[in-house]
Amino acid sequence: MRLLVLGAGALGGYFGGRLAEAGGDVTFLVRPRRAAQLAAHGLRIESPFGEARLQVNTVTAEALGPGWDVILLACKAYDLDEAMAAIRPAVDGRTAILPVLNGLSHVETLGHAFGAERVLGGLCKIQATLSPEGVVRHLNDWRWLTFGEQSGEMSSRVAAIAAAFAPARGMVAQAVPDIGQRMWEKLVHLGSAAIGTVLMRANVGEVVRAGGAPFLAEVLARNAAIAAHHGHPMPAAFMAEYGQLFADPASAYATSLLRDIEGGHRTEGEHILGFLLEAAHRAGVEAHWHAAAALHARAYEQRRVAQRLP
């Protein structure tokens, strides 16, 4: 299986790097600066599951052509248009596109651009970041890559993807028949954490220690109600797991959205908070916390663009 990974950042670098480490046929589509960095220093991974320094295959946009079985799309949601343009020369009749972006709307966008039959549903559950030196830093024990056909069919191609990733250490790749449900579950927990951590500018444990457990529980319940209205009720086990996480005073869970705000970077606020706010209105769910969080992210973007951040 030939896998093309868009970018070699935190997510693509980790999952693609682990497959390359296991002997998989992986190539990273990167900009010239990142290609030079990887050629000079290798792809470096720091993780609780083992460190790696790998010499990896790279390609830049001007040299890209077809012939790929899978394209792993691990960009930020706001870079989707640029990403679609970048991968277009690589897509042919054999290609499956596996996006692991945050949110939901990108699946339909990719389907319009390349054909719905080429686009898998996908998500990852991992906390990772890319250091200024280009090191992929895996921050905890979350290491899941989950994917499936939008139809729910357990097809030969998703089975082949799972088999290709099976030898890779430090990750769990799983093909599932209910990827739509799994993506809503991720949106509910990620959206709840994003609302809480962005509004309070603190990780989950810090919010809980400040007395914020009832607030986080309320946000989780409202997001679950939104998902149920859209045909994806949250299982009792899911609510118990994340109810416990959002009441844990020792939790260090912080979202990438918060890390981006703290680092002065562009955020995925519209794709997570804005999407959930609109979904709450459609569902008739009380949305004052959603509105406040979306407003917070939008006001931050105004200051960032104006270069007025502290």
Side-chain angles (χ1 to χ4, degrees):
M1 176 178 290
R2 298 192 70 210
L3 177 74
L4 179 69
V5 181
L6 177 70
L11 303 187
Y14 187 79
F15 290 120
R18 288 306 193 192
L19 180 57
E21 182 185 34
D25 186 349
V26 182
T27 299
F28 295 88
L29 171 58
V30 292
R31 295 186 175 95
R33 180 178 176 277
R34 182 63 166 148
Q37 187 179 52
L38 291 169
H41 305 292
L43 176 62
R44 291 168 290 172
I45 298 173
E46 296 177 356
S47 167
F49 296 93
E51 298 189 2
R53 192 183 191 109
L54 309 167
Q55 292 302 313
V56 294
N57 300 320
T58 63
V59 63
T60 53
E62 62 273 12
L64 185 63
W68 307 94
D69 297 297
V70 181
I71 299 176
L72 180 64
L73 211 57
C75 62
K76 291 287 192 177
Y78 51 71
D79 284 332
L80 181 59
D81 288 343
E82 183 180 352
M84 290 191 299
I87 67 171
R88 189 170 293 280
V91 178
D92 61 19
R94 71 191 262 187
T95 307
I97 300 171
L98 173 51
V100 291
L101 286 68
N102 288 322
L104 295 171
S105 59
H106 61 274
V107 174
E108 184 176 356
T109 302
L110 287 164
H112 286 315
F114 297 105
E117 72 283 356
R118 289 197 178 94
V119 181
L120 302 173
L123 60 92
C124 59
K125 183 179 177 182
I126 185 172
Q127 282 196 295
T129 189
L130 186 70
S131 78
E133 301 77 30
V135 179
V136 176
R137 290 186 174 140
H138 182 200
L139 303 176
N140 65 1
D141 63 350
W142 290 3
R143 61 198 186 279
W144 286 273
L145 178 67
T146 306
F147 47 87
E149 299 285 356
Q150 294 186 61
S151 66
E153 176 192 1
M154 293 298 287
S155 67
S156 58
R157 66 178 176 178
V158 296
I161 296 168
F165 275 102
R169 67 169 175 160
M171 63 172 292
V172 178
Q174 183 181 19
V176 298
D178 58 346
I179 191 62
Q181 173 70 23
R182 304 293 186 100
M183 292 174 72
W184 266 102
E185 289 176 9
K186 179 179 180 180
L187 182 62
V188 167
H189 84 71
L190 175 62
S192 300
I195 289 170
T197 61
V198 166
L199 282 179
M200 303 306 160
R201 292 290 185 93
N203 68 33
V204 167
E206 291 162 343
V207 175
V208 172
R209 294 196 298 274
F215 156 68
L216 293 173
E218 179 183 336
V219 172
L220 177 63
R222 290 183 182 180
N223 282 332
I226 293 168
H229 174 84
H230 290 85
H232 295 279
M234 295 295 103
F238 171 94
M239 295 300 291
E241 176 185 357
Y242 285 97
Q244 183 176 10
L245 186 153
F246 291 142
D248 181 3
S251 174
Y253 183 17
T255 60
S256 59
L257 209 159
L258 175 64
R259 290 193 294 272
D260 286 338
I261 288 176
E262 291 177 334
H265 306 307
R266 189 177 179 184
T267 76
E268 294 181 304
E270 286 304 317
H271 307 88
I272 301 170
L273 303 174
F275 180 92
L276 276 170
L277 177 59
E278 293 181 5
H281 290 326
R282 291 193 301 270
V285 172
E286 169 56 53
H288 64 269
W289 291 125
H290 295 77
L295 177 60
H296 183 103
R298 290 164 181 163
Y300 160 82
E301 290 291 350
Q302 292 290 320
R303 289 180 64 83
R304 184 189 66 82
V305 170
Q307 299 183 333
R308 295 182 57 240
L309 295 175

